[in-house]
Amino acid sequence: MEIINQKVLRKDNQLLAITHLTQLLSYVTGCGGFIVPLALWLTSKDTVEGMDEHGKSIINFQLSLLLYIVLCVPGILLFGLGILGLIAVGTIGFVLPIVNAIRASNGESPSYFLTIRFIS
């Protein structure tokens, strides 16, 4: 009787919450809110329970925010509607990581609305 490829996933809700909160680095460094969660997801998706689901949702959310920002920039020329869009994207990008960090620390699944699923 031998055991082959037995993976034991550990439950680490604090790391999941920290991964969500690292998205806020975008407000400090500009691109750290994408790179740091990506690195955390890629390094621990096979060892932490739920990291694959949370990591994919974070990366999809960050890519969606980037797309919305790119679409809002030309919208500034259209009666200034792009400015309202940028304010909305900035607010959503600040609030949702905090809400989902609390959800992750409680052991719940992430919930990012207006997210395009680039990675499924």
Side-chain angles (χ1 to χ4, degrees):
M1 178 160 107
E2 58 184 87
I3 299 173
I4 300 173
N5 277 341
Q6 181 180 8
K7 292 184 180 180
V8 178
L9 298 177
R10 63 186 168 98
K11 189 170 177 92
D12 194 356
N13 290 342
Q14 287 79 22
L15 182 62
L16 294 175
I18 288 171
T19 306
H20 284 283
L21 290 175
T22 56
Q23 296 177 74
L24 299 177
L25 287 173
S26 293
Y27 294 98
V28 178
T29 63
C31 64
F34 178 74
I35 295 170
V36 175
L38 179 65
L40 286 172
W41 171 53
L42 290 176
T43 58
S44 61
K45 69 180 178 180
D46 296 329
T47 59
V48 176
E49 180 181 337
M51 179 58 88
D52 196 38
E53 176 189 6
H54 286 267
K56 286 179 183 177
S57 66
I58 290 169
I59 299 305
N60 285 332
F61 180 65
Q62 288 296 314
L63 289 173
S64 297
L65 286 181
L66 180 65
L67 179 67
Y68 297 147
I69 289 170
V70 168
L71 292 176
C72 284
V73 170
I76 293 173
L77 300 175
L78 182 66
F79 306 114
L81 294 177
I83 294 174
L84 294 175
L86 288 174
I87 292 170
V89 168
T91 304
I92 289 170
F94 187 78
V95 172
L96 284 183
I98 296 170
V99 169
N100 282 299
I102 294 169
R103 290 177 60 101
S105 67
N106 292 334
E108 300 174 18
S109 296
S111 172
Y112 289 105
F113 63 91
L114 296 176
T115 301
I116 302 167
R117 294 189 184 243
F118 297 103
I119 301 170
S120 57

